[in-house]
Amino acid sequence: MIIELPSTKATLHLGEQLGKLLPVRTVLLLKGNLGAGKTTLVQGIGKGLSITEPIVSPTFTLVNEYTQGRLRLYHLDLYRLKPQEVEKLYPELYWEYQEVAPGITAIEWAQRLPYQPSDYLEIQLVNLPKLGRQAILKEVGSLSLKASFWESLR
Ligand SMILES: Nc1ncnc2c1ncn2[C@@H]1O[C@H](COP(=O)(O)OP(=O)(O)O)[C@@H](O)[C@H]1O
Ligand SMILES: [Mg+2]
């Protein structure tokens, strides 16, 4: 599905819808260049989950965990990390939910993952010369979101 994002507000709104609708254990891989709107989207997700704490990019802490909302939110940003460093972070802990409590995991710069979860929602944020900014959402693996989820995003 392609969603047009003409403004920051539109990106926040999409995130908010995701925060309200996504089921527990969903992993979101966020792809897109610097400034594409990945963190903005996660801020919207936080709002949709009813997290009132400000969501800031986990640039130095690597993983931010928010426990306050409808579901837990784990926010990872791999921007500054080398593949070896990403491995040391054990990112799979945040999608297998064995050692961490179940929630929703959102990973910025997911293209830097040395290995990927088997099932996830990919959200690519692009800025095309004539079409402008868009989010491209794709289910990967056996992730299968309800038809009502997709309808709510329209
Ligand atoms: N759809 C949009 N249209 C215009 N500006 C946007 C949009 N989405 C986000 N922005 C702006 O782009 C800037 C960078 O966004 P950010 O979410 O930090 O990007 P990233 O995390 O991908 O580097 C912010 O100032 C944000 O307000
Ligand atoms: Mg960011």
Side-chain angles (χ1 to χ4, degrees):
M1 176 186 255
I2 296 180
I3 296 171
E4 287 176 23
L5 301 173
S7 63
T8 299
K9 218 175 135 189
T11 306
L12 286 169
H13 178 73
L14 171 61
E16 201 176 332
Q17 292 289 89
L18 295 172
K20 284 184 184 157
L21 299 166
L22 285 175
V24 69
R25 297 171 189 270
T26 305
V27 184
L28 290 163
L29 298 194
L30 306 179
K31 302 182 179 177
N33 292 330
L34 199 63
K38 301 180 293 299
T39 302
T40 307
L41 190 72
V42 180
Q43 287 166 342
I45 292 172
K47 189 163 178 229
L49 289 169
S50 307
I51 293 165
T52 54
E53 262 175 275
I55 294 196
V56 289
S57 217
T59 308
F60 298 102
T61 47
L62 305 179
V63 183
N64 283 349
E65 182 178 338
Y66 301 89
T67 57
Q68 211 186 31
R70 174 177 77 86
L71 300 170
R72 276 167 194 260
L73 174 65
Y74 302 99
H75 182 194
L76 285 73
D77 187 343
L78 310 180
Y79 179 52
R80 283 167 205 276
L81 303 185
K82 300 187 190 86
Q84 273 172 319
E85 293 172 313
V86 176
E87 265 178 64
K88 276 192 224 144
L89 192 63
Y90 298 106
E92 66 275 16
L93 291 181
Y94 299 95
W95 64 66
E96 290 173 353
Y97 300 115
Q98 285 170 358
E99 288 174 44
V100 301
I104 287 179
T105 297
I107 307 181
E108 292 189 45
W109 292 95
Q111 56 268 48
R112 309 238 159 130
L113 285 172
Y115 40 82
Q116 304 215 325
S118 52
D119 313 311
Y120 58 90
L121 178 63
E122 179 186 272
I123 303 185
Q124 221 180 318
L125 293 164
V126 296
N127 193 353
L128 302 170
K130 278 184 190 157
L131 298 169
R133 294 195 194 227
Q134 297 185 337
I136 303 161
L137 284 72
K138 198 173 96 184
E139 291 168 309
V140 178
S142 64
L143 179 82
S144 174
L145 295 162
K146 289 185 194 151
S148 61
F149 167 83
W150 295 105
E151 271 152 32
S152 302
L153 295 188
R154 283 183 203 286

